[in-house]
Amino acid sequence: MPLLDPKTWQPRKLSGDESPVIEPATGETLATVVLATAEDVAPAAEAAHLAQGAWARTPHFLRAAVLRKAGDLFTAHAEELSEWLVRESGSIPGKAAFELHVAAQECYEAAALASRPTGQVLPSEEPRLSYTRRVPVGVVGVIAPFNAPLILSIRSVAPALATGNAVLLKPDPRTAVCGGISLGAVFAEAGLPEGLLQILPGGAEAGQALIADPRVPVISFTGSTAAGRAVGAAAGRLLKRVHLELGGNSALVVLEDADIEAAVAQASWGSFFHQGQICMTTGRHLVHASLYEEYVERLAARAESLAVGDPYREQVHLGPVIDRAQLGKIHELVRASTARGAELAAGGTHQDLFYRPTVLAGADDHTPAYTEEVFGPVAPVRSFATLDEAASLAAAGPYGLSLSVITRDTALGLELAERIPTGIAHINDQTVNDEAVAPFGGVAASGTGARFGGEANLDAFTELRWTTVRREPPGHPF
């Protein structure tokens, strides 16, 4: 039996318009969902608030069992959910399989959180028991994007539920099924009590209402830096805790001693995986001058060799970008970059939403596709002469999400990485990596640090409460 039954996949009655679920590759309508409006947030938050207390008091092993069952269900229904990821988000099958693997692992790791030690016994100057205890925050608001819709929802939903919270999830309307409704179906099947996970696919107004609702003290947001600034400002005015995982323009640094073919293989995946629609995408290729010309030539040849097309009906390396607005942004940045002097070594063309992997040689500080986050399959390449120059170029700009250094001298690679502010660093690997056990997040304009993954989830979704106990009340001077 399919997990996603269209008759029951939106159990909460929402008041917004019906919206088609569009397949980017064909423009075909796959299904219809009802969108959430701002008016739908308050009743959802109230239902979550009412359900959360009993869930927080549920023994840890029962909460863990629900999370483990959810992980099993992502695997058991992988074929069905993979099809949604491929058709709704434009993922190639391998990327969909990776999302499902990570989703299951996020659930299993979250299940382990439920039985972690919840506090410490503290020394005290007074004759009393003094200790700390982690308690749930209550209701967590999760706002997730379209690009890796399952991963970027489940990485907050699973640990928030495991630590005793309820969740309001607002997926991007463009991926309402694979980024939202599918999670609701999985957790319902896993035995999560009713009310604890509310799915609210909607636009900016629904998101604003979610941030403003007084029953939602913590917001987990993944998206663009511009949107993140607005979310952070709105939440900050209300003294709410907000976790922001934002954009990036990550550098891949190829040192003089690098194996050039290995470097190009990393670079190709880093820039072109999922059409470049990944926050960790390699957005700046910094290559030692002695390798630069050969690197550009080989990367361009690899880009030209990649197949672009419908990932559901063809075997391809790249699928479509998400919609025409994103296509227009990508193409305008490429056009503006060549107008400023960058050389189009490969790509720069598209058919419908299928954008060819693109290599821009001769990038500099005046190349828009080099200085800005493109969120498309574009690889700007720039040369450097010294290690100091490489460090300076990699550290430049407002972002600080991921970094890659390719070198045969791993100690030198680590030394260079220490000089570059970034939340994530990989030596001899490209910039796009994710694991459920690892803390994830960026610095500066890329977000508010490592707030997801592993033990970081405890800080994200619990409060630390200090408690003391005396045998009898003490005396005081007055």
Side-chain angles (χ1 to χ4, degrees):
M1 178 182 294
L3 178 71
L4 295 175
D5 181 352
K7 295 180 181 179
T8 60
W9 68 6
Q10 281 191 279
R12 171 165 288 279
K13 299 293 184 182
L14 301 177
S15 63
D17 296 331
E18 289 192 345
S19 177
V21 177
I22 301 296
E23 182 178 30
T26 64
E28 177 185 341
T29 297
L30 302 174
T32 300
V33 299
V34 179
L35 297 183
T37 67
E39 288 69 32
D40 293 314
V41 171
E46 180 64 14
H49 172 71
L50 292 174
Q52 186 269 329
W55 178 242
R57 293 188 295 273
T58 298
H60 69 274
F61 65 92
L62 296 179
R63 282 187 273 123
V66 171
L67 271 296
R68 288 194 297 271
K69 178 64 173 177
D72 292 343
L73 287 167
F74 279 117
T75 300
H77 293 276
E79 184 176 353
E80 177 187 358
L81 296 176
S82 176
E83 182 173 326
W84 278 105
L85 282 161
V86 169
R87 301 190 70 183
E88 187 183 21
S89 74
S91 300
I92 60 173
K95 188 256 191 182
F98 177 72
E99 286 211 49
L100 287 161
H101 168 75
V102 171
Q105 292 303 314
E106 290 284 359
C107 290
Y108 298 144
E109 288 297 320
L113 288 178
S115 58
R116 291 282 179 91
T118 59
Q120 294 179 314
V121 176
L122 306 175
S124 177
E125 297 178 0
E126 300 292 328
R128 62 190 177 190
L129 172 65
S130 177
Y131 64 94
T132 60
R133 184 166 65 93
R134 289 189 178 275
V135 297
V137 298
V139 181
V140 174
V142 179
I143 302 175
F146 71 85
N147 57 317
L150 181 53
I151 290 176
L152 300 181
S153 292
I154 194 66
R155 72 174 181 188
S156 292
V157 170
L161 290 173
T163 49
N165 302 287
V167 176
L168 270 58
L169 169 61
K170 193 199 84 63
D172 190 301
R174 292 170 290 185
T175 48
V177 178
C178 57
I181 291 168
S182 65
L183 280 80
V186 163
F187 279 100
E189 184 74 12
L192 185 72
E194 188 174 348
L196 288 169
L197 177 58
Q198 304 282 334
I199 311 298
L200 300 169
E205 290 184 359
Q208 291 164 0
L210 191 158
I211 295 165
D213 194 284
R215 288 155 292 207
V216 184
V218 170
I219 303 295
S220 174
F221 173 86
T222 304
S224 71
T225 297
R229 291 186 194 280
V231 169
R237 283 194 296 271
L238 299 170
L239 301 182
K240 295 191 177 189
R241 195 192 317 172
V242 59
H243 308 303
L244 302 174
E245 200 275 283
L246 308 178
N249 190 9
S250 299
L252 182 147
V253 184
V254 182
L255 299 187
E256 184 177 9
D257 69 341
D259 179 325
I260 194 164
E261 185 56 31
V264 168
Q266 299 305 312
S268 176
W269 183 263
S271 279
F272 305 141
F273 175 61
H274 195 47
Q275 300 77 262
Q277 297 172 128
I278 301 287
C279 59
M280 298 169 284
T281 289
T282 301
R284 294 175 295 154
H285 297 243
L286 306 175
V287 183
H288 190 270
S290 64
L291 304 177
Y292 173 78
E293 290 187 7
E294 184 179 359
Y295 181 93
V296 169
E297 181 181 343
R298 290 197 187 197
L299 183 59
R302 186 175 286 255
E304 295 288 4
S305 73
L306 298 178
V308 182
D310 182 343
Y312 182 62
R313 297 167 182 84
E314 306 170 59
Q315 187 171 350
V316 298
H317 300 97
L318 284 77
V321 298
I322 191 66
D323 58 20
R324 293 202 173 277
Q326 185 61 26
L327 176 79
K329 177 193 172 189
I330 295 166
H331 196 55
E332 175 55 27
L333 282 170
V334 171
R335 188 206 62 79
S337 296
T338 56
R340 292 288 187 93
E343 175 194 348
L344 190 64
T349 61
H350 67 91
Q351 183 175 0
D352 296 323
L353 296 181
F354 302 103
Y355 205 90
R356 289 292 313 171
T358 298
V359 178
L360 293 170
D364 59 25
D365 291 340
H366 304 290
T367 305
Y370 172 84
T371 58
E372 300 178 33
E373 182 183 36
V374 178
F375 229 62
V378 179
V381 189
R382 180 173 185 169
S383 67
F384 66 86
T386 67
L387 205 62
D388 286 343
E389 184 183 8
S392 177
L393 290 173
Y399 298 104
L401 183 52
S402 189
L403 170 73
S404 167
V405 181
I406 309 298
T407 176
R408 288 185 171 93
D409 186 341
T410 54
L412 181 62
L414 284 169
E415 180 184 323
L416 177 62
E418 289 297 315
R419 300 171 62 182
I420 300 164
T422 183
I424 302 164
H426 302 293
I427 311 303
N428 289 326
D429 199 352
Q430 42 74 46
T431 55
V432 182
N433 281 278
D434 196 7
E435 285 190 68
V437 298
F440 187 98
V443 298
S446 291
T448 49
R451 304 299 179 92
F452 306 104
E455 292 189 357
N457 286 318
L458 292 173
D459 293 329
F461 303 117
T462 65
E463 300 285 2
L464 197 59
R465 177 181 293 171
W466 180 38
T467 301
T468 67
V469 181
R470 288 177 178 264
R471 181 180 292 275
E472 295 179 356
H476 296 290
F478 60 87

